[in-house]
Amino acid sequence: MSPRLEAMKASLQDSLGDRVEVIPGICGELTLELGREDLLEVCLQLRDDFGFEMLVDLCGVDYLSYGQAEWKTEAATASGFSRGVNRQLGLQSDQQASQRRFAVVYHLLSLSRNMRLRLRTFATEHEPPMIDSVIDIWPSANWFEREAFDLFGILFVGHPDLRRLLTDYGFIGHPFRKDFPLIGHVEVRYDPEKGRVVYQPVSIESRTLVARVIREDAGPGAEQEGADGG
């Protein structure tokens, strides 16, 4: 981290105290985590006292199964068959996973200081997850929050017009959630009798494809065995 960011980090910690926690990161960037109950107060202070007058981006994150499967961690490689991590490492309890599943990440920019800051906070653990809207602090949050609502199902309390933004009006579910099926829930087709587009349950069958591997030193039947999955 650059000396300027180190100085900013120290200043933020002195001013905000135990309301924020510095998150170790890469790429020399500064990231703070805070509780959702302190979100509006801290954001207002960052804008007025530290010059972060612009919200560049806001996005949702679903940490379901974090540390497992294909999440890249210190125990996983970047490619090949070893992408999966050890399921015994960093495994959270069901209660911890539900409390820290949906996060909202804010990317802030100070034009006067030419500095960037990232904030992360977690939504409520119940369904639907909820968090306060920052639209009164940064008006640019309007469509960003609508996008996070559409894709992750996060409700932003105080947003004046929280509607879907990217998916269709009849879309069911939130497609960026980790437990959302890749084939979706419904599909659309044109009904010539009704003269309009209609929705119906998805007709594609879910299946897992396994790549076929052929080796010269394999015995008889090895090719067929490797092709069973696909």
Side-chain angles (χ1 to χ4, degrees), residues 47 52-59 105-109 133-148 156 159-160 165:
R47 186 195 68 180
F52 288 98
E53 63 269 28
M54 180 177 293
L55 175 68
V56 178
D57 192 18
L58 178 156
C59 60
V105 180
Y106 306 81
H107 298 265
L108 308 180
L109 172 64
S133 171
V134 297
I135 193 172
D136 291 334
I137 301 175
W138 297 292
S140 61
N142 192 336
W143 280 25
F144 293 144
E145 291 181 347
R146 285 182 59 185
E147 181 182 49
F156 292 86
H159 193 287
L165 183 65

Side-chain angles (χ1 to χ4, degrees), residues 66-210:
Y66 178 73
Q68 308 172 49
E70 302 229 353
W71 279 94
K72 183 179 178 182
T73 69
E74 294 179 355
T77 59
S79 61
F81 290 104
S82 298
R83 288 176 300 182
V85 302
N86 188 335
R87 292 180 178 272
Q88 301 303 319
L89 298 177
L91 193 61
Q92 297 179 333
S93 66
D94 293 340
Q95 182 178 2
Q96 290 174 323
S98 64
Q99 291 176 348
R100 294 176 63 85
R101 175 176 176 181
F102 293 104
V104 180
V105 180
Y106 306 81
H107 298 265
L108 308 180
L109 172 64
S110 172
L111 297 173
S112 57
R113 297 172 181 261
N114 191 26
M115 300 184 71
R116 296 178 183 270
L117 175 66
R118 181 187 295 111
L119 300 179
R120 183 180 71 177
T121 187
F122 285 84
T124 57
E125 60 271 17
H126 55 69
E127 183 63 36
M130 302 176 67
I131 198 167
D132 288 325
S133 171
V134 297
I135 193 172
D136 291 334
I137 301 175
W138 297 292
S140 61
N142 192 336
W143 280 25
F144 293 144
E145 291 181 347
R146 285 182 59 185
E147 181 182 49
F149 160 70
D150 191 0
L151 301 180
F152 292 93
I154 301 173
L155 294 184
F156 292 86
V157 180
H159 193 287
D161 188 24
L162 198 61
R163 293 176 292 146
R164 288 188 179 272
L165 183 65
L166 299 177
T167 58
D168 195 13
Y169 293 110
F171 195 88
I172 298 176
H174 305 282
F176 275 20
R177 290 192 174 191
K178 296 297 182 181
D179 52 2
F180 186 83
L182 295 180
I183 61 175
H185 294 293
V186 297
E187 63 185 17
V188 297
R189 66 176 178 85
Y190 179 77
D191 190 324
E193 295 183 358
K194 296 182 179 180
R196 60 180 175 85
V197 171
V198 296
Y199 292 86
Q200 64 185 30
V202 65
S203 59
I204 303 175
E205 294 185 5
S206 179
R207 59 177 179 158
T208 302
L209 300 179
V210 178

